[in-house]
Amino acid sequence: MEIENTIASKSNAGSLLKEWRERRRMSQLHLALEAGISQRHLSFVESGRSNPSRDMVLLLSESLSVPLRQRNRILLAAGYAPGFSERDLNDPTLKPAMDAVQTVLDGHAPNPAIAIDRHWTMIAANGAIAPLLRGVTNVELLKPPVNVLRLSLHPEGLAPSIVNLVPWRAHVLERLRQLIDQTADPQLTSLEKELAAYPVKKNGPESRPQAADMIAVPLRLRLGETELSFITTTTVFGTPLDVTLSEIAIESFFPTDAATAAFLRQLHDGAS
């Protein structure tokens, strides 16, 4: 929190709100209408001529879909106490939520599922994930904290096993850039630069397009002589009031064909 205090002291609340408005590509008029205030009032807030009330900061932040971590920063810049708690994942008060996360992950079996934090660090997984990582040759990539995106695209990680590496890489980088645009997180910006610099080469001929290709970019993974195909979904907590909880997401992998589903079921039954 000391770091956040230092950062907040360098900017006033109005300038931070303006930065987020511009990041969201909204005009003053658009935001004023969304928040139900006058454009003149908003202009005064952004220019620093008027210090916003606590409720005004929260209203504008909600209208701009500002992440909870950054809402705390704006509140601090306006001279108010943070409005959202930020607890460690091991905090006893978060145990019910973390138990719920693990229950969801286990409930996805035999399909793979992981839980990640805001930097795509894996914080939990179900048993179906481990078999998919057998092709990773750099064991350092598997030592906690494991960054899922780095593991996916690193040339000594899963990249050599991804059949459709070129389109999958493009999908991952585009998704990461969208997240950077949403959160303005410098650590994600650094990660994006690292991943974009990894060498890329096709891992053999592309497979024939499947029905799943029409709705999402699938992850096609080769394990030995077996090719698996997945589409992914992301789940987040609804209406969280804790910064840490708001930044947890569950990434689920669902088979796109009968062969993949059968392979996963066989792995699951063999491990039971």
Side-chain angles (χ1 to χ4, degrees):
M1 189 58 70
E2 289 182 1
I3 294 177
E4 294 292 341
N5 281 329
T6 300
I7 295 174
S9 67
K10 296 179 180 179
S11 304
N12 61 49
S15 66
L16 292 174
L17 288 166
K18 181 180 180 181
E19 286 178 14
W20 280 102
R21 177 177 62 77
E22 292 174 343
R23 180 174 288 276
R24 296 294 185 250
R25 299 173 179 83
M26 295 175 69
S27 67
Q28 277 190 347
L29 178 59
H30 185 180
L31 177 55
L33 290 173
E34 285 286 328
I37 63 174
S38 70
Q39 184 178 355
R40 178 183 175 85
H41 188 184
L42 177 59
S43 177
F44 277 26
V45 168
E46 289 189 350
S47 67
R49 294 176 64 183
S50 175
N51 193 53
S53 67
R54 181 183 182 85
D55 287 343
M56 181 58 66
V57 169
L58 294 174
L59 173 63
L60 292 173
S61 296
E62 178 68 24
S63 299
L64 290 166
S65 299
V66 176
L68 298 191
R69 181 179 297 275
Q70 300 302 326
R71 295 187 198 190
N72 277 347
R73 177 186 174 191
I74 299 172
L75 284 167
L76 285 168
Y80 305 113
F84 305 94
S85 61
E86 181 181 349
R87 289 168 282 190
D88 186 88
L89 287 172
N90 295 319
D91 190 305
T93 60
L94 281 186
K95 188 176 186 305
M98 297 311 298
D99 287 345
V101 168
Q102 192 61 55
T103 297
V104 172
L105 295 177
D106 293 340
H108 275 77
N111 300 326
I114 58 175
I116 55 175
D117 67 10
R118 65 188 173 116
H119 294 137
W120 283 80
T121 302
M122 185 162 59
I123 58 178
N126 66 10
I129 284 293
L132 305 185
L133 306 180
R134 292 172 182 167
V136 176
T137 58
N138 187 342
V139 295
E140 294 298 319
L141 295 170
L142 297 175
K143 292 181 179 179
V146 176
N147 185 277
V148 174
L149 299 188
R150 181 179 293 114
L151 179 64
S152 173
L153 298 185
H154 196 284
E156 296 178 344
L158 285 175
S161 302
I162 298 176
V163 177
N164 59 330
L165 179 60
V166 174
W168 179 255
R169 174 183 180 273
H171 163 70
V172 168
L173 291 178
E174 177 58 26
R175 187 173 175 187
L176 182 54
R177 287 164 187 148
Q178 290 177 357
L179 192 58
I180 291 169
D181 196 46
Q182 293 169 10
T183 64
D185 191 309
Q187 190 165 327
L188 289 179
T189 300
S190 177
L191 178 63
E192 189 272 334
K193 291 179 179 178
E194 175 191 338
L195 301 185
Y198 289 162
V200 186
K201 65 177 182 178
K202 290 185 177 181
N203 296 327
E206 291 284 348
S207 302
R208 179 176 299 178
Q210 302 175 0
D213 296 41
M214 302 299 293
I215 58 173
V217 178
L219 169 64
R220 295 206 178 104
L221 198 63
R222 183 177 291 112
L223 294 183
E225 299 300 316
T226 303
E227 182 177 317
L228 307 178
S229 181
F230 301 94
I231 56 172
T232 63
T233 64
T234 303
T235 305
V236 297
F237 280 92
T239 62
L241 297 177
D242 180 88
V243 172
T244 303
L245 197 59
S246 73
E247 295 170 343
I248 294 176
I250 294 174
E251 193 82 359
S252 309
F253 298 78
F254 294 97
T256 67
D257 54 45
T260 300
F263 183 85
L264 294 174
R265 174 58 64 183
Q266 183 178 12
L267 284 177
H268 181 261
D269 292 343
S272 300

